[in-house]
Amino acid sequence: MTIGLGTTAHAAQCGNTASGFEAWVQQFRPEAARAGISQRTLDLAFKNARYATKTISADRNQKSFKLSFEQFMQKRGASTIVSKGKRLKQQNAGLFAALEKQYGVPAGPLIAIWGMESGFGTFSGNQHTVSAVATLAYDCRRSAYFTEQLYALLQLIQKGWMSPDFKGAAHGEIGQTQFLPANVVRFGVDGDRNGSVNLASTADALASTANFLRGHGWSRGGGYQPGQANYRAIQGWNAAGVYQKAIAQIGADIDG
């Protein structure tokens, strides 16, 4: 079963406070059922879903992206990421060589993303993912975008690739490199070849990230600093300019 990721809710009414969330869920469920989501999946997914106040707070207060480049690098611990990243590159040389051979993406930017997003898998979030994504789909600010993410998340649950009570980051990001659900559907790779895509797995997360970058125009052998051919693929990863520059710089420092 494949659900079109362009599907959006037409009848469910968005809102900007918690008061309308439960009514929105009840309006959304039949739309999702018509789109191919089973009643069992919907029951499991929404059983413990609640309006995610912490998600809304995070969405309204993304202050770190307003820092200068130097401030951002310091706040995100860039020097520590570079130092540990170099060790991980050596320790996992075979994995990174295989990824570069298959996707054309060198170790540096992959390790930079891995370190920036989850501290190399040490913390991937503690927020109920269905609650986070459903709340943002209900919220009027970016309802259409996150409704698409919610359909993708339900698809992943229906495939058995994710638990209905999975916990991730505040905006519904998943796993060691923090993919939004639609990007798991589009670019997820079974890197450890166990039959499913699980971004808690290092191999799956890094292979999926390399596949994402290739899917956003990464060209084998090209540079990835601002103004170079592959910088646009890094821009596809995150919309914040300071974040893009950080990935490029940290990646270059790791690649040496």
Side-chain angles (χ1 to χ4, degrees):
M1 183 275 301
T2 300
I3 298 166
L5 292 181
T7 305
T8 56
H10 297 292
Q13 298 298 304
C14 71
N16 293 311
T17 67
S19 61
F21 179 71
E22 291 301 327
W24 180 90
V25 170
Q26 294 309 311
Q27 292 172 344
F28 173 80
R29 284 181 56 128
E31 296 170 8
R34 288 192 293 272
I37 301 296
S38 71
Q39 288 296 333
R40 180 177 183 274
T41 298
L42 291 167
D43 289 344
L44 290 170
F46 286 107
K47 180 180 179 181
N48 295 317
R50 304 290 184 270
Y51 184 81
T53 304
K54 288 184 178 180
T55 289
I56 292 299
S57 177
D59 191 58
R60 302 291 190 265
N61 295 283
Q62 299 185 58
K63 295 179 181 178
S64 65
F65 295 136
K66 298 177 182 178
L67 300 174
S68 71
F69 177 68
E70 291 74 19
Q71 291 170 329
F72 185 80
M73 291 284 277
Q74 184 174 8
K75 182 178 178 64
R76 299 303 288 260
S79 61
T80 300
I81 293 173
V82 170
S83 177
K84 185 171 182 178
K86 287 181 176 179
R87 294 197 302 272
L88 288 168
K89 181 181 177 180
Q90 288 183 327
Q91 292 167 5
N92 300 278
L95 170 62
F96 288 111
L99 291 172
E100 185 167 9
K101 181 178 179 180
Q102 184 166 359
Y103 299 102
V105 183
L110 296 177
I111 295 172
I113 289 169
W114 187 23
M116 287 270 283
E117 294 289 356
S118 71
F120 305 106
T122 60
F123 184 71
S124 299
N126 58 11
Q127 301 302 304
H128 190 264
T129 300
V130 173
S131 294
V133 178
T135 296
L136 291 168
Y138 158 70
D139 187 66
C140 289
R141 194 167 86 87
R142 290 186 286 172
S143 181
Y145 179 79
F146 278 99
T147 297
E148 176 185 15
Q149 300 300 330
L150 181 56
Y151 274 111
L153 177 58
L154 292 170
Q155 182 177 346
L156 295 172
I157 293 169
Q158 187 150 297
K159 285 182 175 182
W161 289 4
M162 283 184 61
S163 162
D165 289 313
F166 180 90
K167 290 186 178 180
H171 286 77
E173 302 96 333
I174 295 164
Q176 293 193 30
T177 52
Q178 300 285 273
F179 269 45
L180 285 171
N183 285 330
V184 180
V185 173
R186 291 185 177 116
F187 300 107
V189 174
D190 180 12
D192 55 19
R193 300 179 182 177
N194 70 349
S196 66
V197 176
N198 174 13
L199 269 68
S201 155
T202 297
D204 286 13
L206 293 174
S208 299
T209 304
N211 192 39
F212 177 100
L213 292 172
R214 184 177 67 175
H216 284 75
W218 193 281
S219 177
R220 185 182 301 273
Y224 56 85
Q225 297 307 299
Q228 295 182 320
N230 289 325
Y231 192 67
R232 66 181 182 276
I234 292 175
Q235 290 176 308
W237 181 264
N238 190 293
V242 68
Y243 198 103
Q244 298 160 4
K245 292 178 183 177
I247 292 172
Q249 183 61 60
I250 292 170
D253 290 345
I254 290 170
D255 278 340

